[in-house]
């Protein structure tokens, strides 16, 4: 079953064409890793997919439904698409538990007790069972990012988007975040991950897509992507980030 | 004046007119601050909207560019010529509140801006509507930023309200002046008023400290500030000239 399909997405900021007709298909349970040089449009693509940014042309289908111009229904669709940001973007005035429980309570109108119980369970899932009362500025980067993942999962999304989730982290804490992401993928979560962590792509991704200057110039299953015979341009990029 | 009579100071301080005067000072300050906060928030939000920005800037220019005393007298003596007759109290609150709004706008604006784009995007990505983002994410975070400066503004307002004695509103200073000129006991009458001002400002400094402490996210781990620290901060209050 196809969870997400994008056809010919185009997006410009003024005269700068950031997406030049991107196609994408994501089956249920699939993990797609998106790589490419800085400025190639990866973040913009993710933001377009969950309607934080409007595309200029092209179509987006989510769970069989056209969502391209959802307009006032956009918030309802975003509820089912989780997003994790490079800089975590936790709500600084709320504890870890309340960060996770906020959207279920306010958006899904879950009873507080239930929202809190689920939030606690999610903290356990991201291996932070005893951080419920900690505030964001009392957590390490890796811990904050895991809370942010739990916060997104609390809305029970059908799709997760990760935008360089480990780029702002100290090397020691990168592993714990990737670990959680890999577990999610193994449980069958459908996800798109923008990352430079090629180890993660090898282990957890089903497919890898390479973007450059607003175009998806190469896409392959992860075994092939890291195998011989990839396009020259991709091989050079991989060589550079491995260095 | 031959001698100072502490008994008379106490007598004045506990007399009905002084109590009423202190209450009037308090009421004017609270009402003017509330009006100032509403106006300030509205002006801060208006500055973000293209078609209202010019109006907001005009407002700031007008109310920051003229003395508050001028605004007070203007409201009190010019508006009646246009058929708008307001009580002294209403004039006082209106003038002080509108003036306060021009300064509060800056506080509100920096509070809203300090929240930043990141948490807003995160809240939207969770499926919140714009009003929910505002209510559950932006305003609570901005509140923590604006509480300390708003507390300072209120302390300032308690003192600023003395100006309204010029439009014959019977607040603390006017009561003291009237009492003094009737009895020639200037020192005692003014001392009684001074005591009220100090009691009010000190009390609200404490209230402010409690609110800040409760809003500080890690209240279990932050000790309540020492009294000397509070008093120092109060005397460091900007004392902006208006
Ligand atoms: N809101 C915006 N307004 C104007 N230009 C933008 C905006 N967002 C992105 N851009 C531009 O679009 C281009 C693509 O940006 P994007 O953030 O999507 O790239 P990226 O592939 O995620 O890069 P990075 O690896 O550095 O995160 C960049 O040139 C960027 O400057
Ligand atoms: Mg990016």
């Amino acid at each position: 079953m196809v969870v997400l399909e994008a056809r010919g997405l185009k997006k410009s900021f003024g005269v700068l064409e950031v997406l030049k007709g991107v196609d994408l298909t994501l089956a249920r349970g699939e993990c797609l890793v998106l790589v490419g040089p800085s400025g190639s449009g990866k973040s913009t693509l993710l933001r377009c997919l969950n309607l934080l940014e409007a595309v200029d042309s092209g179509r987006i289908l989510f769970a069989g439904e056209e969502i391209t111009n959802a307009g006032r229904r956009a918030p309802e669709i975003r509820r089912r698409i989780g997003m994790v940001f490079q800089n975590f973007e936790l709500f600084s005035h709320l504890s870890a538990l309340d960060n996770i429980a906020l959207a279920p309570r306010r958006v899904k109108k879950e009873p507080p007790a239930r929202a809190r119980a689920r939030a606690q369970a999610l903290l356990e899932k991201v291996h932070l069972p005893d951080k419920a009362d900690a505030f964001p500025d009392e957590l390490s980067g890796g811990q904050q990012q895991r809370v942010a993942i739990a916060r997104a999962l609390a809305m029970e999304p059908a799709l997760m988007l990760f935008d360089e989730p480990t780029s702002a982290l100290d090397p020691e804490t990168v592993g714990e975040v990737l670990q959680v992401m890999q577990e999610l993928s193994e449980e069958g979560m459908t996800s798109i991950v923008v990352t430079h962590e090629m180890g993660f792509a090898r282990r957890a991704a089903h497919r890898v897509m390479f973007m450059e200057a607003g175009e998806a110039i190469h896409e392959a299953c992860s075994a092939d992507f890291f195998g011989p015979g990839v396009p020259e341009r991709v091989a050079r990029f991989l060589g550079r980030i491995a260095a | 004046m031959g001698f100072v009579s502490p008994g008379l100071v106490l007598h004045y301080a506990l007399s009905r007119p002084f109590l009423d005067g202190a209450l009037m000072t308090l009421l004017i300050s609270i009402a003017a601050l509330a009006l100032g906060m509403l106006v300030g928030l509205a002006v801060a939000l208006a500055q973000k909207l293209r078609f209202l920005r010019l109006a907001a800037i005009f407002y700031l220019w007008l109310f920051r560019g003229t003395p508050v005393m001028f605004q007070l007298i203007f409201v009190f003596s010019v508006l009646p010529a246009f058929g708008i007759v307001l009580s002294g109290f209403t004039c006082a609150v209106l003038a002080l509140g509108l003036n306060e709004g021009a300064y509060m706008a800056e506080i509100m604006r920096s509070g809203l801006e300090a929240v930043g784009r990141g948490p807003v995007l995160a809240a939207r990505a969770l499926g919140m509507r714009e009003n929910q983002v505002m209510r559950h994410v932006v305003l609570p975070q901005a509140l923590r930023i604006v509480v300390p400066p708003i507390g300072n503004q209120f302390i300032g307002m308690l003192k600023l309200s003395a100006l309204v004695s010029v439009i014959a509103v019977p607040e603390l200073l006017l009561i003291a002046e009237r009492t003094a000129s009737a009895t020639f006991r200037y020192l005692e009458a003014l001392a009684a008023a001074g005591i009220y001002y100090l009691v009010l400002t000190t009390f609200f400094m404490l209230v402010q400290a409690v609110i800040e402490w409760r809003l500080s996210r890690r209240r279990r781990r932050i000790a309540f500030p020492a009294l000397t620290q509070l008093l120092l901060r109060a005397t460091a209050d900007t004392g902006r000239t208006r």
Side-chain angles (χ1 to χ4, degrees), chain B residues 55-198:
Chain B
I57 289 172
F58 177 75
Y59 183 90
L60 297 176
W61 173 74
L62 194 65
F63 279 89
R64 286 187 191 178
T66 55
V68 65
M69 185 77 105
F70 165 84
Q71 293 157 19
L72 202 57
I73 294 172
F74 188 92
V75 168
F76 184 67
S77 42
V78 178
L79 289 189
F82 293 93
I84 307 170
V85 181
L86 303 170
S87 73
F89 176 81
T90 311
C91 285
V93 169
L94 202 61
L96 291 181
L98 291 177
N99 178 267
E100 183 62 36
Y103 294 91
M104 202 61 93
E106 186 57 28
I107 293 172
M108 297 290 187
R109 196 183 59 78
S110 61
L112 291 173
E113 267 172 20
V115 176
R117 245 182 99 63
V120 171
L121 275 186
R124 280 190 199 142
L126 287 165
M128 290 191 205
R129 296 187 176 280
E130 290 310 303
N131 61 334
Q132 294 175 314
V133 175
M134 198 32 106
R135 186 153 149 235
H136 299 301
V137 175
V138 177
L139 287 181
Q141 291 191 26
L143 184 69
R144 279 156 181 78
I145 297 161
V146 300
V147 158
I150 287 179
N152 291 341
Q153 291 299 104
F154 182 65
I155 306 290
M157 185 62 83
L158 285 170
K159 297 181 281 183
L160 197 67
S161 67
L163 287 182
V164 310
S165 55
V166 301
I167 59 168
V169 176
E171 49 66 68
L172 207 42
L173 188 61
L174 189 69
I175 298 293
E177 276 176 9
R178 278 183 186 161
T179 308
S181 55
T183 61
F184 297 103
R185 289 289 189 169
Y186 280 96
L187 181 56
E188 286 83 358
L190 287 174
I195 288 169
Y196 268 112
Y197 280 119
L198 284 171

Side-chain angles (χ1 to χ4, degrees), chain A residues 50 52 72 75-76 78-79 81 83 85 89 91-93 102-103 106-107 109 135 137-138 151-152 155, chain B residues 118-130 132 135-137 140-141 144 217-218 220-221:
Chain A
N50 77 348
L52 286 174
R72 283 187 52 76
E76 274 158 55
R78 283 192 211 115
R79 280 167 213 179
I81 303 178
M83 185 146 185
F85 301 84
E89 313 298 2
F91 306 133
S92 61
H93 64 297
L102 180 69
R106 303 301 180 182
V107 177
K109 314 285 183 206
F135 282 85
D137 60 4
E138 299 170 321
R151 175 178 69 176
M155 293 301 286
Chain B
V120 171
L121 275 186
R124 280 190 199 142
L126 287 165
M128 290 191 205
R129 296 187 176 280
E130 290 310 303
Q132 294 175 314
R135 186 153 149 235
H136 299 301
V137 175
Q141 291 191 26
R144 279 156 181 78
R217 292 154 293 154
R218 289 169 294 176
R220 279 149 299 178
R221 271 145 287 182

Side-chain angles (χ1 to χ4, degrees), chain A residues 13 16 18 36-45 47 53 164 196:
Chain A
F13 291 112
L16 181 70
V18 178
S38 181
S40 55
K42 308 177 296 289
S43 299
T44 305
L45 176 60
R47 284 203 299 271
E53 203 85 71
E164 303 205 35
H196 295 301

